[in-house]
Amino acid sequence: MSGTRPPAPSRHRSALRTTAVALAATIVVGAAAVTIPAAQAATSLKDLATAAGKDIGFALDPGRLSESAYKSIADSEFNLVVAENAMKWDATEPSQNSFSYGQGDQVASYAASTGKELYGHTLVWHSQMPSWTNNLSGTALDAAMKNHVTNVATHFKGKVASWDVVNEAFGENGERRTDSPLQQKLGDGYIETAFRTARAADPTAKLCINDYNTDAINSKSTAIYNLVRDFKARGVPIDCVGFQSHLIIGQVPSTMQQNLQRFADLGVDVRITELDIRMQMPADASKLATQAADYKKVFQICNAVTRCQGVTIWGITDKYSWVPGVFSGQGAALVWDDSYAKKPAYDAIASAFGGITPTTPPVTTPPVTTPPVTTPPVTTPPPSAGCQVSYAVNQWNTGFTANVTVKNTSSSALNGWTLTFSFPSGQSVTQAWSSVTTQSGSAVTVKNAAWNGSIPANGSTQFGFNGSHGGTNTAPSSFSLNGTPCSVG
């Protein structure tokens, strides 16, 4: 799991798509040959990402563009840019209804002049709010928030491709964070209000919610998942979810790809918005090798999820990283060191795109079957012996995550399904997704969610859950689908 961090300057990005022209070179990305311009033939991370149809972004402080080494890397290695601080509320509206876009416009101009996509960060965030908001009543703060979103989104309309509309709204327990004045004064509805206001101001920009410590399947990411699912069901505008991914070496979550995929299955894009991977200082060869492997793993995860738009690294050089100022004794979190030398992470990222032959076999994960989005009508049982269940577990201490695949092996489609099984070792389900799951004693009943009730003949669907155990976690040995026993495989 990623390390918990106190409130600190937050960060973000989006995507660039270019087409090959004139003479071209061919590189291999995954299993597919991809053509890119010969003049740009796979000499940078930007080339590799663009060839793969992904963004690779960085967080920019425009004041550093005067530093030649900084600008050279910014120009050549990235196809997306996000303002580190220049578009936040305190920077863009220092006095009420008096807007200041100087540095934000510098970032937008840099993006336009270098052909990079511009990602907006952030319209609404409880941190880095200007001091004049402190004494506003709920009604006044609501009006001020709407006015701010409208003015900033309108100012950058046509320049910003995507916005982090709301940033860091949830606590670690999955509840709304209690230290937010927005939550305290405006209640749960402020997130929906912000998204609707942003859509009205800029109908073409993609609208995202962004948070940290949500890389794994956990209480916080599930709370955001439930919010997105609710928004999609009610027609509240939301297009994407950002995962900040401020990680610690050796701690890329095992459920990260599954987590991103479950959001993508809701019909939204996903993004790694603020990646850095820190270590206890001093750095050494072993730590840097672990860091490189972790960077590679994160990029591979994004590459494996079709709706993952790309990865943004929260900065360029360790010289300017936010990490040492917040996490005492930790640092070296970025891809270039204090002197702008490439660290092993650079080649590891290139390897994730297929640009460098890896020294170890690449990590591959079977593709996740995305079920059709349908509302189940009447339940129809399958013919006898018409189902197969695969049950995979990742466990730790007294907890575990189970990923379950249900396959309809019959010749008839299923419209509505119920899977039943029993735990043999006293396990308990604590949290489930892509299903409606209940438990009575050892008996577990899993019903389809509203969107995955239809399983075509020879098709499958997936769901999962977190659970607890007392030290023994024996897998269930038998499953029944709509009352019919299933084979286990």
Side-chain angles (χ1 to χ4, degrees):
M1 295 177 65
S2 60
T4 303
R5 66 179 179 88
S10 180
R11 8 283 115 205
H12 303 81
R13 66 52 260 330
S14 224
L16 178 70
R17 302 289 181 263
T18 61
T19 55
V21 295
L23 296 176
T26 300
I27 63 172
V28 174
V29 179
V34 181
T35 301
I36 62 174
Q40 301 176 344
T43 57
S44 69
L45 299 181
K46 177 176 71 174
D47 296 335
L48 292 166
T50 300
K54 301 288 186 181
D55 305 331
I56 183 165
F58 77 105
L60 170 65
D61 179 338
R64 295 174 187 146
L65 289 172
S66 59
E67 193 171 342
S68 60
Y70 184 98
K71 187 175 187 302
S72 176
I73 294 171
D75 289 353
S76 63
E77 297 289 350
F78 303 98
N79 60 16
L80 179 144
V81 61
V82 58
E84 187 172 3
N85 289 296
M87 293 186 183
K88 293 174 182 172
W89 196 339
D90 60 350
T92 53
E93 194 182 2
S95 300
Q96 188 167 13
N97 209 32
S98 178
F99 290 87
S100 174
Y101 294 114
Q103 284 206 326
D105 284 343
Q106 289 180 47
V107 176
S109 296
Y110 173 77
S113 66
T114 56
K116 303 184 193 303
E117 184 168 337
L118 179 61
Y119 192 91
H121 176 71
T122 173
L123 293 173
V124 177
W125 185 30
H126 70 277
S127 185
Q128 290 184 246
M129 292 174 65
S131 59
W132 59 264
T133 64
N134 292 344
N135 297 319
L136 295 181
S137 67
T139 301
L141 181 59
D142 180 67
M145 181 186 74
K146 293 176 187 175
N147 184 61
H148 176 78
V149 171
T150 298
N151 276 273
V152 176
T154 300
H155 178 82
F156 289 106
K157 184 177 179 180
K159 300 175 182 179
V160 167
S162 306
W163 273 108
D164 284 328
V165 178
V166 174
N167 195 51
E168 299 179 6
F170 287 84
E172 301 306 303
N173 60 359
E175 303 294 330
R176 300 295 182 88
R177 59 186 312 152
T178 57
D179 60 343
S180 166
L182 296 160
Q183 182 67 35
Q184 293 167 359
K185 296 180 180 180
L186 305 182
D188 289 353
Y190 86 88
I191 298 178
E192 179 174 339
T193 298
F195 273 84
R196 291 191 183 278
T197 305
R199 177 65 90 225
D202 186 351
T204 62
K206 290 187 175 182
L207 307 182
C208 313
I209 189 167
N210 186 63
D211 218 316
Y212 66 95
N213 285 355
T214 56
D215 317 291
I217 292 175
N218 55 33
S219 296
K220 191 174 188 179
S221 64
T222 297
I224 296 174
Y225 176 89
N226 290 335
L227 179 137
V228 173
R229 182 171 58 182
D230 172 64
F231 277 18
K232 295 291 285 185
R234 294 191 295 110
V236 179
I238 188 166
D239 305 301
C240 37
V241 178
F243 302 82
Q244 291 184 17
S245 301
H246 297 292
L247 303 175
I248 300 170
I249 60 168
Q251 295 187 25
V252 177
S254 62
T255 57
M256 188 171 183
Q257 181 175 328
Q258 179 189 350
N259 189 36
L260 268 59
Q261 186 63 55
R262 68 170 176 159
F263 280 90
D265 289 345
L266 290 177
V268 292
D269 293 337
V270 293
R271 292 178 166 276
I272 308 299
T273 52
E274 306 182 14
L275 179 64
D276 49 39
I277 305 178
R278 63 188 185 270
M279 63 187 70
Q280 194 68 33
M281 298 300 285
D284 58 33
S286 176
K287 293 175 185 176
L288 291 173
T290 300
Q291 181 188 61
D294 288 343
Y295 265 102
K296 178 179 178 179
K297 190 179 299 182
V298 171
F299 274 81
Q300 286 178 319
I301 287 169
C302 181
N303 290 344
V305 176
T306 302
R307 294 199 70 148
C308 183
Q309 300 299 293
V311 177
T312 293
I313 301 168
W314 201 248
I316 291 175
T317 167
D318 290 335
K319 178 180 179 180
Y320 297 125
S321 171
W322 69 288
V323 168
V326 175
F327 298 100
S328 179
Q330 299 183 52
L334 294 172
V335 178
W336 286 265
D337 68 16
D338 288 345
S339 301
Y340 292 100
K342 296 175 182 176
K343 293 156 70 174
Y346 182 95
D347 284 348
I349 295 170
S351 177
F353 284 117
I356 292 178
T357 302
T359 56
T360 57
V363 177
T364 58
T365 304
V368 177
T369 301
T370 303
V373 179
T374 57
T375 301
V378 180
T379 299
T380 56
S384 59
C387 51
Q388 182 182 52
V389 174
S390 298
Y391 183 91
V393 169
N394 176 40
Q395 68 182 50
W396 62 92
N397 297 328
T398 58
F400 68 99
T401 296
N403 299 303
V404 184
T405 301
V406 180
K407 184 175 182 179
N408 175 15
T409 59
S410 74
S411 59
S412 301
L414 272 176
N415 292 309
W417 53 266
T418 299
L419 184 75
T420 56
F421 62 90
S422 294
F423 282 127
S425 305
Q427 301 100 316
S428 296
V429 175
T430 58
Q431 181 183 67
W433 51 92
S434 301
S435 66
V436 178
T437 299
T438 57
Q439 182 173 354
S440 177
S442 63
V444 179
T445 301
V446 183
K447 296 180 182 292
N448 60 271
W451 50 268
N452 65 353
S454 178
I455 310 177
N458 293 315
S460 62
T461 191
Q462 292 183 324
F463 67 90
F465 58 86
N466 291 333
S468 61
H469 63 86
T472 301
N473 189 25
T474 307
S477 58
S478 61
F479 299 84
S480 293
L481 185 66
N482 292 353
T484 298
C486 300
S487 61
V488 180

